[in-house]
Every structure is written in structure tokens, then in C-alpha cells.
Amino acid sequence: MKLPITSDPSPAPLPAEKPLLILEELISLLLPHSAPQQESRRGNSSLHLYEKNELMVALVTEGSVNIYHCPDMMLLATARAPFIFGLQGSLFQYELFKLIPAKDAKISVMPREKALKIIIKHHAFPQLLTYQIFINDYQANRNNLLINRTSLHIVCGLLEELAKIRPEERLKISVAKYVLDRSNLARSGVMKIIATLREEGFIIMENGKLIQCVKEFPENSLAKPSGKPGRKAHLTS
């Protein structure tokens, strides 16, 4: 049976683009006062932001960091450089999530208290606030995508997210793996939805990779519940 593509809610609008200039400005401000973190210090390949009873800030200048939900190790997001972890200063989040840097990631760390003093000294609080707004918007979008949505809605939303990744990186990513890693959906259902979207001309794929989202995904009321709640994402990239 063909999926009822036109009767399902469309993905929520994606949040604003990552504020690259502001991120680069904040990193340039903080980097001279930080210390490079060696991979051997991460412990089990994880990035720790709480050391010796002190909250830390991590500056990701190259590569990426995967963010996992600790209880089930579901991949919530991939934070690509430039990125800053730890400015929120939430010990709760650091215990709830596991941060695993890619092998090529370059990361520098510094105490959060020191980072905030530098930001205040250089009157960079507006930049910090803009970055925090981006983080909060991404988190809200993630929750809106995964909570109480149908499988089709979740898949379409993740495909839109995947389409925003740079082509040279996107062509290395399996569409099915991208969706399955970031949701609690059954593989068989995901594969059927992807196949239908491809057959009906919504997406172009080659060798399991997403080439292009050709047209907007089906639109309908975003308030329509699926009757089966999805999983909530708590952290963003």
C-alpha cells in the first residue's frame, strides 16, 4: 500500500542558521585563554565538561562532536565546528548527555567562570545571548519534530535537516542511518517512507545518499497528533 504522503503533517520550519560570525568572534575572544585538550584526556573518547568540581567551556575549532542521550545512547545531534559547549553551565545536561568528538576534532577548554569574565570584560554579552537563542531555537525545533509526531513527519524533518549539511559532507552520510540514529523508529518503516518519498519525487538519492530535496514536503496541520509520542531531544547543535 502506498503511504498517504499528502495527508500527513509537514516538518516544522527549521530554526535560524547557526550564527557563524558571532561564534567565530566568541571563539577568537576565548581561544587565547584556553588550552588544547588532548584526545587521551577525554576518557573513553568522551568530552568532559566538569572537572575537579569546576564547570568547563569547550571550543570546537575543527571537526565535529556527536551528542548522545546517555540512557539509550540515541544520537541527538552533531555539532560541527565552529561550536562552543559549556556556556550554559548546566551540570544536569552534562550528566544526561555524552559528547563524543570525531577523531579529527580540535578542541580547547577553559573554566566557564574565566570564559564569562572575559566575555563581560569585552562587552560580548549580546553575542553570547544571540548564540544562546540559536541553541534554544534548535532545541525547540528538535522537540517539535520528535514529540507526538507521526513517523512520516519525523523522517521528513530529519531529511530537511540532512539537506542543510554541506554537499561534500552529506554525500558521505547514509540517509537511512542518519534517520535511524536520530529517532526511535523501526528500520522497516523508515525504509518504506524513504522509498515512497523518492518514488513520488520529493527527494533525489544516489547510492543511499541524499542528493536533493526537490520539492516541499506535504503540508497539513502541525497540531495533528500521531497518537504515539516521539522522543524528546534536550540538547542541540
Side-chain angles (χ1 to χ4, degrees), residues 2-63:
K2 189 173 271 190
L3 292 170
I5 291 291
T6 57
S7 64
D8 202 73
S10 64
L14 294 174
E17 297 286 345
K18 183 163 68 172
L20 289 175
L21 293 179
I22 285 177
L23 261 172
E24 290 169 356
E25 184 176 345
L26 287 172
I27 289 177
S28 296
L29 189 64
L30 299 175
L31 194 59
H33 306 278
S34 65
Q37 185 178 58
Q38 302 298 321
E39 186 175 351
S40 59
R41 289 190 56 204
R42 294 173 189 165
N44 297 323
S45 299
S46 297
L47 172 62
H48 298 287
L49 296 180
Y50 188 65
E51 299 180 352
K52 298 179 181 179
N53 296 320
E54 188 172 33
L55 292 169
M56 306 295 290
V57 166
L59 311 174
V60 184
T61 54
E62 291 185 24

Side-chain angles (χ1 to χ4, degrees), residues 216-236:
E216 290 187 8
F217 290 113
E219 294 186 4
N220 205 331
S221 172
L222 289 177
K224 178 183 176 182
S226 66
K228 180 180 179 180
R231 189 179 307 247
K232 185 174 182 180
H234 300 274
L235 196 63
T236 62

